[in-house]
């Protein structure tokens, strides 16, 4: 029942057709077109009832028109859901004026003030279309203003049947007051919604600029160091003929710098793709132990260099339902962090268990740990200052944030428990195949 209510709820209707692939401005326009369509449906139902009660001229003809307009506005919501946004907007800006034309021509004339709505609809295209679609903005603006001018200066009052409510001039005046107030309400509602989303766009721009600065900072500092180290060692190797021991040391340093650069770039690219919502998700049933073993094999050399011992207890039968590339990136990041922040000769423990609808994977170490402030930054989704591993390994402060967001995108959760100098335990819950 809850899901049914949610599907027919206002929030659901307003967000028909909105998805992660749309930029924020397009999302706002889709939401506004949905809002106007919903208001149009409600208004046509309302006036159809009022006209019938008040005995408006040609009321049944108007009811038929209202019915077709309601159907068209419902179809516009369907078009948005099918991501045919431009067609939906074009049909919308012309459809909303249709009942007004018929009301003013065959029913009320310029009585009741219904033609005031033309001024509202003349403003609608400015919030529905982009500047590149100025042709439609101009057409709709001019046509609605011409309709308003015609009925204001050349229109005639409606002819109402004696004995009906509308024959009373007081009732006609009430309709006029309602038209004025409704027009002002619709303008206020649309502009308020537009301002609200303009504020969202401004915040998004601030956030995007902050991300851009973070990327430049990482490129300038976290990549400059390892690439400079590689350049120095390569220069040394090309200008001298080192002894075997010196060559081994140089190659190890080169490998360390290469690994560090690769990790920085991988985290940076995953973070940037995730922030731009451009990561496709392909969910499938996978073996948890296979994912864990693949990540362990990739990082074996890094663990061997620090004499880190693996302790893996993951039953073969545990299956998970997730995106293989994403979950592999997450587990590889968590294993890499566990090695990086563990002391030499330490142990990295990986344990997997089946818990109802989820498989739980716990990665723990006895390394340098994290402060409460760092954990809070991770929970809030904020980058934190770069930290160094036990042998001077440098990170970006993005790895755990990338993991958290990737897990969230797959319906997974992550819990971090850590204390300085006491190690870190990270538990992730992944939906299983059952």
């Amino acid at each position: 029942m809850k899901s049914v209510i949610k599907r027919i709820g206002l929030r659901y209707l307003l967000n028909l057709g909105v998805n992660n692939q749309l930029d924020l401005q397009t999302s706002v326009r889709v939401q506004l077109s949905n809002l106007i369509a919903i208001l149009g449906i409600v208004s046509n139902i309302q006036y159809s009832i009022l006209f019938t009660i008040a005995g408006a001229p040609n009321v049944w003809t108007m009811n038929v028109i209202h019915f077709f307009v309601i159907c068209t506005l419902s179809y516009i919501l369907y078009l948005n859901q099918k991501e045919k946004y431009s067609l939906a907007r074009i049909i919308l800006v012309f459809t909303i004026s249709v009942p007004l034309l018929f009301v003013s021509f065959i029913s009320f004339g310029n009585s009741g003030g219904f033609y005031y709505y033309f001024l509202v609809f003349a403003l609608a295209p400015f919030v529905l279309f982009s500047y590149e679609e100025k042709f439609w903005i101009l057409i709709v603006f001019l046509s609605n203003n011409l309709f308003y001018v015609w009925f204001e200066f050349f229109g005639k009052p409606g002819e109402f049947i004696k004995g009906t409510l509308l024959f009373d001039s007081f009732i006609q005046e009430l309709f006029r007051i309602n038209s004025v107030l409704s027009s002002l309400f619709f303008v206020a509602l649309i502009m308020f919604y537009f301002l609200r989303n303009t504020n969202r766009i401004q915040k998004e721009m601030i956030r995007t600029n902050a991300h851009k600065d973070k990327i430049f900072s990482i490129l300038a500092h976290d990549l400059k160091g390892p690439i400079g180290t590689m350049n120095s060692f390569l220069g040394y190797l090309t200008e001298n003929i080192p002894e075997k021991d010196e060559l081994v040391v140089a190659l190890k340093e080169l490998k360390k710098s290469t690994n560090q650069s690769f990790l920085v770039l991988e985290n940076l690219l995953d973070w940037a793709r995730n922030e731009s919502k451009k990561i496709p998700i392909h969910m499938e049933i996978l073996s948890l132990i296979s994912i864990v073993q693949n990540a362990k094999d990739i990082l074996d050399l890094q663990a061997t260099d620090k004499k880190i011992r693996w302790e893996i207890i993951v039953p073969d039968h545990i299956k998970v339902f997730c995106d293989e590339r994403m979950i592999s990136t997450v587990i590889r990041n968590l294993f890499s962090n566990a090695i990086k922040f563990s002391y030499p000769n330490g142990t990295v423990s990986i344990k997997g268990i089946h818990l109802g609808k989820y498989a739980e994977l716990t990665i723990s170490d006895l390394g340098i740990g994290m402060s409460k402030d760092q954990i809070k930054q991770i929970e809030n989704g904020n980058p934190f200052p770069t930290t160094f591993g036990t042998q001077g390994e440098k990170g970006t402060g993005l790895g755990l944030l990338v993991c958290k967001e990737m897990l969230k995108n797959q319906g997974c959760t992550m819990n971090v428990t850590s204390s300085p100098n006491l190690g870190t335990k990270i538990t992730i819950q992944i939906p299983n195949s059952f």
Side-chain angles (χ1 to χ4, degrees), residues 412-428:
C412 308
T413 60
M414 181 175 76
N415 181 60
V416 181
T417 305
S418 185
S419 298
N421 301 316
L422 294 178
T424 300
K425 182 171 78 172
I426 297 179
T427 302
I428 61 175

Side-chain angles (χ1 to χ4, degrees), residues 7-240:
R7 286 185 66 82
I8 62 174
L10 182 60
R11 184 180 293 274
Y12 171 78
L13 292 174
L14 285 174
N15 286 287
L16 282 174
V18 177
N19 58 58
N20 291 336
Q21 304 304 314
L22 295 179
D23 61 80
L24 187 54
Q25 290 186 353
T26 304
S27 298
V28 169
R29 292 191 184 99
V30 172
Q31 289 174 331
L32 282 169
S33 67
N34 288 335
L35 175 63
I36 292 172
I38 293 167
L39 290 175
I41 291 170
V42 173
S43 296
N44 277 272
I45 293 173
Q46 168 199 326
Y47 280 119
S48 183
I49 295 170
L50 287 176
F51 291 168
T52 302
I53 294 172
N58 301 305
V59 64
W60 294 111
T61 302
M62 286 304 308
N63 284 343
V64 170
I65 293 167
H66 284 141
F67 174 76
F68 280 108
V69 169
I70 289 168
C71 290
T72 304
L73 293 174
S74 300
Y75 179 63
I76 287 165
L77 294 175
Y78 171 78
L79 287 175
N80 277 335
Q81 186 180 32
K82 293 299 181 181
E83 301 179 7
K84 297 180 179 179
Y85 310 119
S86 295
L87 178 60
R89 288 198 297 268
I90 292 169
I91 295 175
L92 176 63
V93 292
F94 289 106
T95 300
I96 53 179
S97 300
V98 169
L100 290 185
L101 284 171
F102 281 96
V103 165
S104 301
F105 272 119
I106 70 172
S107 190
F108 277 76
N110 61 7
S111 303
F114 288 101
Y115 61 94
Y116 295 150
Y117 285 109
F118 285 122
L119 295 177
V120 178
F121 299 150
L123 298 176
F126 289 95
V127 295
L128 288 176
F129 293 99
S130 66
Y131 177 76
E132 287 73 22
E133 299 170 300
K134 50 185 174 290
F135 170 78
W136 293 111
I137 296 175
L138 186 62
I139 291 295
V140 176
F141 177 77
L142 290 177
S143 60
N144 278 281
N145 274 287
L146 286 173
F147 290 143
Y148 171 78
V149 170
W150 171 263
F151 288 108
E152 175 68 43
F153 296 103
F154 304 104
K156 296 179 181 179
E159 296 180 1
F160 306 109
I161 301 172
K162 188 174 182 179
T164 61
L165 288 175
L166 280 174
F167 190 77
D168 188 337
S169 59
F170 176 72
I171 299 297
Q172 295 178 34
E173 198 61 30
L174 284 180
F175 269 102
R176 183 179 295 276
I177 293 171
N178 178 70
S179 297
V180 173
L181 293 178
S182 296
S183 297
L184 292 174
F185 171 76
F186 288 152
V187 170
L189 184 61
I190 293 171
M191 294 310 296
F192 178 78
Y193 197 82
F194 182 75
L195 288 173
R196 169 182 172 271
N197 287 287
T198 300
N199 185 53
R200 285 173 56 200
I201 293 171
Q202 290 174 339
K203 288 181 178 179
E204 179 68 16
M205 290 177 63
I206 293 171
R207 190 177 71 91
T208 301
N209 285 331
H211 290 163
K212 178 195 67 178
D213 293 341
K214 179 67 178 176
I215 290 172
F216 286 154
S217 174
I218 291 169
L219 292 174
H221 300 289
D222 295 344
L223 280 181
K224 183 178 179 182
I227 291 175
T229 300
M230 286 189 281
N231 184 59
S232 298
F233 274 107
L234 287 172
Y236 171 73
L237 292 175
T238 54
E239 293 174 6
N240 300 278

Side-chain angles (χ1 to χ4, degrees), residues 285-317:
I285 298 173
L286 303 166
S287 167
L288 183 59
I289 184 61
S290 297
I291 300 170
V292 168
Q293 193 61 49
N294 288 338
K296 182 252 183 191
D297 291 343
I298 292 171
L299 296 166
D300 252 341
L301 188 58
Q302 183 181 334
T304 302
D305 286 344
K306 293 182 75 170
K307 297 182 173 59
I308 301 295
R309 187 172 68 87
W310 297 97
E311 185 181 89
I312 301 176
I313 306 173
V314 180
D316 294 343
H317 68 272

Side-chain angles (χ1 to χ4, degrees), residues 241-394:
I241 302 177
E243 298 292 331
K244 181 179 178 180
D245 291 343
E246 293 177 332
L247 181 61
V248 170
V249 171
L251 290 175
K252 282 186 176 180
E253 288 298 322
L254 280 172
K255 187 177 186 309
K256 186 188 296 183
S257 296
T258 303
N259 285 340
Q260 185 177 329
S261 300
F262 175 78
L263 184 61
V264 169
L265 277 174
E266 184 180 46
N267 284 342
L268 183 60
L269 290 172
D270 282 333
W271 180 67
R273 280 198 296 263
N274 186 72
E275 288 298 319
S276 62
K277 311 296 182 186
K278 299 297 183 184
I279 302 181
I281 300 176
H282 177 63
M283 306 290 280
E284 56 184 323
I285 298 173
L286 303 166
S287 167
L288 183 59
I289 184 61
S290 297
I291 300 170
V292 168
Q293 193 61 49
N294 288 338
K296 182 252 183 191
D297 291 343
I298 292 171
L299 296 166
D300 252 341
L301 188 58
Q302 183 181 334
T304 302
D305 286 344
K306 293 182 75 170
K307 297 182 173 59
I308 301 295
R309 187 172 68 87
W310 297 97
E311 185 181 89
I312 301 176
I313 306 173
V314 180
D316 294 343
H317 68 272
I318 297 181
K319 305 291 183 182
V320 289
F321 185 64
C322 56
D323 181 284
E324 184 175 12
R325 189 190 67 79
M326 281 190 178
I327 205 66
S328 297
T329 299
V330 168
I331 292 176
R332 190 165 62 249
N333 258 285
L334 297 180
F335 284 7
S336 178
N337 281 349
I339 295 168
K340 183 191 304 180
F341 298 113
S342 289
Y343 296 105
N345 301 303
T347 299
V348 173
S349 174
I350 298 103
K351 295 181 180 179
I353 59 173
H354 179 260
L355 288 176
K357 295 182 179 180
Y358 291 90
E360 190 171 271
L361 186 69
T362 302
I363 300 101
S364 54
D365 64 71
L366 299 174
I368 60 178
M370 288 186 286
S371 66
K372 290 182 179 179
D373 182 61
Q374 286 175 316
I375 295 175
K376 187 176 180 181
Q377 293 293 331
I378 294 168
E379 291 174 349
N380 293 336
N382 299 323
F384 52 85
T386 300
T387 52
F388 293 89
T390 53
Q391 290 187 339
E393 306 99 321
K394 194 176 182 183

